[in-house]
Amino acid sequence: MASTTTSGLTRRRGAGGGGEGANGEGDSSNGPNRSSSSNNVRDSQPETSYESTENGHKIAFDPRDISESAERSKQPKLTLMEEVLLLGLKDKQGYLSFWNDNISYALRGCIVLELAFRGRISMQKDPSRRRFPLPDRLIEVIDDTLTGEVLLDEALKMMKSSEKMSVSSWIDLMSGETWNLMKIGYQLKQVRERLAKGLVDKGILRTEKRNFLLFDMATHPVVDSGAKEEIRRRVRNVLTQRTVVLNATQFLPENLEFRYIRTIAMVCAAYAANVLENALSTLGHEARERAFAQTDELLAEYSQWPFGKKATGNGIGANLPQVITDEINKSKEKELQLEVVAACLSVFTRLDSLL
């Protein structure tokens, strides 16, 4: 099990991202454990299939492209990692704050969260797991179908080919926080830059070269301001409204499973990544402080399993306990996946000592 060292990761409410800009997380080599892992993930379909057209010609296609397209059609346009990164990016400059130490670790946590929400991983079904704190319980791959998102699939392949490890161990290893040289290859490299390029492909950002005195750096200004504003609006909705109602959008489809739990997880991840204030900048001082207090309450309630059942004492989000209960009751068979979500949020509380 990897070390859970979080020294130097301290809470700051200031907006922003990491000191390396959007792309300063090492080279993109896959490491010793990455190369062999892809062979161990199930890929039951043939690499090439053929479809006959009306005129008798055959068209070759890869069935995996179709399955990945079907996967994307069921999911929000943006992953949790992309939403958190987008909140941290400066709209016009296109880079993250240079003074944020937490966003890299939080983004790895979002990868684990996203895999749990997509039904790829869950807690290992072992009654004895309850003897251990949530972050120290083992997780396992329950569906190794590729998602079509590069970072998610890279993490999924590693988890499938590796020994079973805990939530906190996986987040540590993917962040490179380990003294075990045998496991250094588990580190995911250039996560911010790869996420930014994914947002470019989705039409949310664009890529520019910016000169910083001694060096040039790729930056990614926002071109679809509506996407970022939708995320901000959703955050403010959860943190300021007495009755939280999440309208259906391409970023949060109506038929998406666990819409409210997912949104709470995104808010807590943004808080841990020190980018939450970017969504609250239009609020007055007192309203902003109430929003941060509400985030503390949500993190306390949803970093345990079963999730807390009580409404917060400040009247905000009074309907959330019932809405969350309804979401869980609709998918009782997926409680082990939601236990992973709770474990990730528990890791976030360790990261920033928020509680």
Side-chain angles (χ1 to χ4, degrees):
M1 189 172 294
S3 165
T4 55
T5 302
T6 57
S7 60
L9 300 175
T10 55
R11 175 191 185 186
R12 281 195 298 275
R13 284 186 175 175
E20 300 142 10
N23 62 340
E25 297 188 82
D27 63 59
S28 58
S29 61
N30 287 334
N33 294 320
R34 207 72 48 80
S35 59
S36 62
S37 61
S38 59
N39 297 327
N40 296 302
V41 176
R42 175 173 56 82
D43 200 356
S44 56
Q45 295 174 310
E47 291 188 4
T48 304
S49 293
Y50 297 89
E51 183 179 65
S52 297
T53 61
E54 293 179 357
N55 58 13
H57 296 298
K58 288 186 176 181
I59 298 175
F61 66 93
D62 189 336
R64 290 170 296 187
D65 293 337
I66 295 177
S67 63
E68 288 178 5
S69 177
E71 166 78 16
R72 287 195 181 98
S73 69
K74 296 186 297 183
Q75 297 298 332
K77 182 174 181 179
L78 302 183
T79 64
L80 289 170
M81 306 88 72
E82 290 169 333
E83 290 185 332
V84 170
L85 182 81
L86 190 55
L87 279 178
L89 281 173
K90 300 176 185 293
D91 289 12
K92 294 181 179 179
Q93 294 91 334
Y95 56 86
L96 299 160
S97 167
F98 290 103
W99 310 112
N100 189 335
D101 296 326
N102 288 14
I103 192 168
S104 293
Y105 195 88
L107 288 174
R108 271 69 170 192
C110 287
I111 291 173
V112 179
L113 280 169
E114 188 71 53
L115 287 172
F117 279 122
R118 292 185 182 225
R120 299 308 196 268
I121 60 174
S122 74
M123 286 294 183
Q124 188 175 28
K125 193 173 183 179
D126 180 2
S128 64
R129 73 182 186 281
R130 296 185 179 89
R131 295 180 299 166
F132 302 98
L134 270 174
D136 297 334
R137 298 177 187 177
L138 300 181
I139 59 177
E140 62 182 355
V141 174
I142 57 174
D143 180 0
D144 54 16
T145 305
L146 298 182
T147 67
E149 298 286 348
V150 176
L151 280 170
L152 293 180
D153 291 340
E154 189 173 339
L156 185 64
K157 290 173 184 178
M158 287 195 298
M159 291 179 180
K160 178 66 177 178
S161 63
S162 168
E163 62 187 289
K164 290 183 175 64
M165 291 186 284
S166 68
V167 171
S168 60
S169 293
W170 273 116
I171 299 175
D172 282 349
L173 289 173
M174 290 191 293
S175 302
E177 293 198 13
T178 178
W179 294 104
N180 188 339
L181 296 179
M182 300 296 293
K183 294 184 176 180
I184 198 66
Y186 287 105
Q187 182 181 5
L188 292 180
K189 305 290 185 66
Q190 289 189 317
V191 167
R192 300 180 214 175
E193 177 64 14
R194 292 159 74 185
L195 288 173
K197 288 180 178 177
L199 288 169
V200 171
D201 293 339
K202 294 179 181 181
I204 309 297
L205 307 177
R206 71 173 184 272
T207 301
E208 293 180 351
K209 286 285 186 181
R210 182 179 286 264
N211 181 266
F212 287 86
L213 295 179
L214 299 178
F215 60 93
D216 291 331
M217 185 177 82
T219 61
H220 303 282
V222 177
V223 293
D224 185 355
S225 57
K228 187 166 184 177
E229 183 53 37
E230 196 282 331
I231 299 171
R232 289 172 173 151
R233 188 163 47 243
R234 198 175 348 138
V235 170
R236 291 193 296 268
N237 190 348
V238 169
L239 297 182
T240 64
Q241 299 299 308
R242 179 174 181 81
T243 301
V244 177
V245 178
L246 299 177
N247 296 322
T249 68
Q250 61 181 325
F251 305 102
L252 198 71
E254 182 64 42
N255 60 352
L256 180 67
E257 211 170 25
F258 307 125
R259 297 174 76 245
Y260 284 81
I261 299 174
R262 181 186 180 90
T263 299
I264 288 172
M266 183 269 288
V267 170
C268 292
Y271 192 29
N274 278 332
V275 300
L276 184 63
E277 187 161 324
N278 290 341
L280 307 176
S281 56
T282 59
L283 301 179
H285 175 72
E286 290 187 4
R288 192 160 57 246
E289 288 301 307
R290 285 195 298 271
F292 277 116
Q294 174 69 356
T295 311
D296 282 327
E297 295 273 2
L298 291 175
L299 198 50
E301 291 296 308
Y302 295 97
S303 61
Q304 57 181 304
W305 183 260
F307 292 141
K309 302 295 184 183
K310 67 182 181 66
T312 57
N314 54 20
I316 299 173
N319 65 320
L320 283 178
Q322 185 57 52
V323 172
I324 297 298
T325 299
D326 291 344
E327 285 190 334
I328 295 172
N329 288 339
K330 287 179 183 177
S331 303
K332 295 288 287 184
E333 74 282 1
K334 297 183 178 180
E335 288 189 355
L336 288 173
Q337 295 164 221
L338 295 179
E339 194 172 324
V340 174
V341 173
C344 286
L345 300 191
S346 182
V347 171
F348 289 158
T349 67
R350 292 182 178 185
L351 169 67
D352 269 335
S353 301
L354 291 172
L355 300 181

